[in-house]
Each structure stands twice: as structure tokens, then as C-alpha cells.
Amino acid sequence: MSKGTQGTAGPRGRPTMADVAARVGVSRALVSLVFRNERGPSDETRDRVFAAARELGYRPDSAAQLLARSRSKVLGVMMTVRNPFHADLVEGIYPVAEELGYDILLAAAVPTRDERAAVEALLSHRCEGLILLGPNLDADYVADLGRRVPAVVVGRSVAGAGVDTVHTAEARGAREVVDYLVELGHTEIAHIDGGNRPGSAERRKAYRAALRRHGLETAARVLPGDQTEESGAQVAEALLADRAGMPTAVFASNDRCAVGFLDAMNRAGVPVPDEVSVAGFDDSRLAQLSHIDLTTVAQAPDRQADLAVRAVVTRLENPDHAPADHVVQPKLIVRGTTTRPRASRTDLGG
């Protein structure tokens, strides 16, 4: 076995510092200097050591001791590039981190790079804490992260994972949308589901509960989706193929899905909201554009960003502080994509 390509596996197959040294072709002592951020190793050597550690999946046995010896004062943020709400959150994260004396390092999950790869990249750059925006990571992995570094999950509750969470009161937001549409006179309200995306289960459950409370349980229609523009467009196309089954109102699981639905309706020449009212969830910058003007639920991204940064910094500076679940109250924002159903407008002479 070549010294420069493979080291011996540590206990239970876990990579060790010796494995990293063997991979790079340097001494274990030199690798130790790199991880302690001490003088001596060149920048090139440091880069090679961190690259080897990444490839092997090696992490120092005690991240807390490493941070105590040499604080990086950097918080890592994992985000999804295509999610405009994540961009709003990042804008809110920077000023709070700066106020508290921390820098921010971003890592994006994209179709060719999953969330785990983004998170591991942040850890390899010695981020002291992690802020995970709307992750689809499984609970076990999130719990493991929480044991390694202080972490906060934004946009999702992860029970028992040992990390702070920050999210909107999803059920209340969905309930406000349904209540508002029913008040307008809608009795045929469909919901485009968000699949397994963060917040989707809570919004779906609240949609059904709200219809049941209004005596409209039998009219509930949950249409498959995944919180993307493409899924919204696909639902619109399916409804357009059977116009007799077109609901009078559609509540999309998020703004991206709602925008995809709106675009498909506009291209088909179906006027919104005259023929069908549309509501989303997020109040992203996209929803606020004048030519979209989407009725939606505001999630207070600045407030969520503030809570997330302060939560992870509190855990860094007070390691014994217990993680908490921080809930932000949503607000319904009424814009131009919703109105009374056509039959109601006719009855009232509108």
C-alpha cells in the first residue's frame, strides 16, 4: 500500500490524523500543527491537509477543544441557490453576524452538489457554527452535526436533534390563507403540496384542518408538488387539460410554486385572479414584484435571520446552553392575485 495514497484505518474504520498524514505524505505532527492552526506549515501544505481530510471524511476528535485553542469566528451558512427566500435570509444574517463579531462563509446546495457536500465543505473551512437554511437533511445527520458543532436549522423543526431551530408558525400561516379565501367566498380551494420540503407537512395538515373547520372537508384537494416553479406549472397544465375541474382558488406551498402556476395560467390566457385566485407562502422578493403581485404569507426573514445567528453564537459562547425552538409568527399579505370567485362577483353585481 502506497504511503501517499492510503493510511491505516482507525478504530471502527474511522479515519485518523495518521491517515491524513499518510494521504498527504507528511508527518502526523505536521498535520496536528495544521489542525491547531499553528505556525510552521505552508499555505500549500495546509490546503493539501484539509483536502485530504475532506476526502477521507476525517474530523478532529474534539471540535470544542480545537475552537478553544484557536477561534475562527466564522459561521457557515448552507443555502439553496434557487430559493429566493434563502437569499432574503442571507441578507439578514450578515449584519447580525457582523454586529456580534463573526464572519460568514456561504456554501450552496445545487443540483450537482447535495446538502451534505455543502455542509462538509463548511466544516473543512473551520466554521465554528452552522446555520442551515431549509435543509432536507435527515434528522440523524442533523443530530450528528449538533454533536460536532453548534448548529441551527432555519425553516424546519427537527425534534430531538440537539440543535436550535428557527421557523414560522406554519400552521397559522396556512390557516390564515384558507380563512381569507373562504371569507372571499371560495369553496373550491386546492392546495399544491410541497412534498417532503421544509414546512410542507405542516402547511398541508393546516390546509385540511382549516377546510374542515369551515365545513369544506369534502372539497379538499391536495395536488402533488415540490415547492418549485416546475411543479406549479405542471399542476396548472393538468388543471387546464380538464377545465371543468378547475378550482376557484389555489394555495401553493410556497411562492416559487405559485409563480410557476401563475406563469402557466398567463401563457394559457387564463386571467388571474378573475378565473382563479392564487396564494403562496414566503413573501419572497419575487412575490413582491409589481408584475407578479402575489398574495402570500410573510415569514419575517430578518427576524428569522436574527434569531438564527444569535442562537448559534449563544451556543458557541455558552456551550452548556440548551438548544431551543424559536417560532416566528407569520402575516398574510394580500395583493393582486386573489379576489372573490366569479359567481360571488356576479351575485353582488361585481
Side-chain angles (χ1 to χ4, degrees), residues 7-335:
T8 58
R12 293 173 293 173
R14 293 179 59 185
T16 66
M17 194 177 294
D19 295 328
V20 176
R23 173 65 65 93
V24 180
V26 298
S27 69
R28 184 185 181 283
L30 186 59
V31 171
S32 179
L33 289 175
V34 170
F35 282 117
R36 296 203 309 269
N37 197 31
E38 294 186 3
R39 295 179 181 179
S42 66
D43 289 343
E44 179 185 0
T45 297
R46 292 178 189 277
D47 290 342
R48 291 171 58 206
V49 167
F50 285 130
R54 253 193 331 269
E55 293 167 4
L56 293 170
Y58 171 76
R59 295 283 175 268
D61 288 336
S62 177
Q65 290 179 5
L66 174 64
L67 292 174
R69 288 194 295 267
S70 178
R71 298 287 304 275
S72 70
K73 301 289 284 187
V74 174
L75 304 178
V77 177
M78 190 281 291
M79 62 177 295
T80 301
V81 170
R82 296 186 180 183
N83 191 326
F85 186 65
H86 288 187
D88 294 342
L89 287 167
V90 169
E91 284 191 8
I93 285 170
Y94 271 105
V96 183
E98 182 178 356
E99 173 192 337
L100 298 178
Y102 286 79
D103 289 325
I104 293 296
L105 182 64
L106 300 177
V110 296
T112 56
R113 185 192 196 218
D114 65 18
E115 291 181 340
R116 287 198 182 202
V119 168
E120 295 300 327
L122 292 170
L123 291 174
S124 73
H125 285 85
R126 300 186 62 250
C127 292
E128 292 190 20
L130 297 176
I131 300 174
L132 311 175
L133 305 186
N136 288 309
L137 298 165
D138 64 76
D140 288 341
Y141 181 72
V142 173
D144 178 61
L145 284 178
R147 288 188 289 269
R148 293 152 70 182
V149 295
V152 58
V153 170
V154 181
R156 171 185 166 197
S157 180
V158 190
V163 299
D164 284 274
T165 53
V166 177
H167 59 94
T168 303
E170 309 281 356
R172 176 175 174 175
R175 183 172 63 248
E176 288 188 1
V177 171
V178 174
D179 289 349
Y180 166 67
L181 292 172
V182 171
E183 287 172 8
L184 288 176
H186 293 280
T187 56
E188 300 174 25
I189 306 167
H191 176 56
I192 306 179
D193 192 23
N196 63 354
R197 300 300 178 96
S200 297
E202 292 85 353
R203 296 171 197 179
R204 177 173 60 249
K205 182 179 179 180
Y207 157 79
R208 289 186 180 280
L211 286 184
R212 184 166 56 249
R213 194 176 67 257
H214 288 288
L216 299 172
E217 184 176 9
T218 58
R221 293 175 65 187
V222 177
L223 308 172
D226 61 7
Q227 293 193 354
T228 63
E229 293 89 343
E230 291 79 8
S231 68
Q234 288 169 3
V235 167
E237 290 163 3
L239 292 175
L240 288 167
D242 180 19
R243 297 288 283 271
M246 181 76 71
T248 62
V250 169
F251 166 36
S253 185
N254 73 341
D255 289 351
R256 290 181 62 192
C257 180
V259 168
F261 184 90
L262 285 171
D263 181 61
M265 286 293 166
N266 288 334
R267 285 187 283 106
V270 176
V272 174
D274 290 343
E275 290 295 331
V276 57
S277 288
V278 180
F281 204 112
D282 280 347
D283 194 30
S284 62
R285 299 293 174 88
L286 194 62
Q288 299 170 30
L289 295 175
S290 60
H291 68 284
I292 294 179
D293 200 30
L294 179 67
T295 291
T296 185
V297 176
Q299 294 201 71
D302 287 346
R303 176 61 176 155
Q304 291 197 49
D306 183 271
L307 287 170
V309 175
R310 295 185 189 279
V312 75
V313 169
T314 295
R315 295 283 307 288
L316 277 167
E317 299 180 353
N318 301 278
D320 295 330
H321 192 276
D325 184 42
H326 306 271
V327 182
V328 174
Q329 297 305 313
K331 180 181 179 182
L332 178 66
I333 305 296
V334 176
R335 297 196 180 97

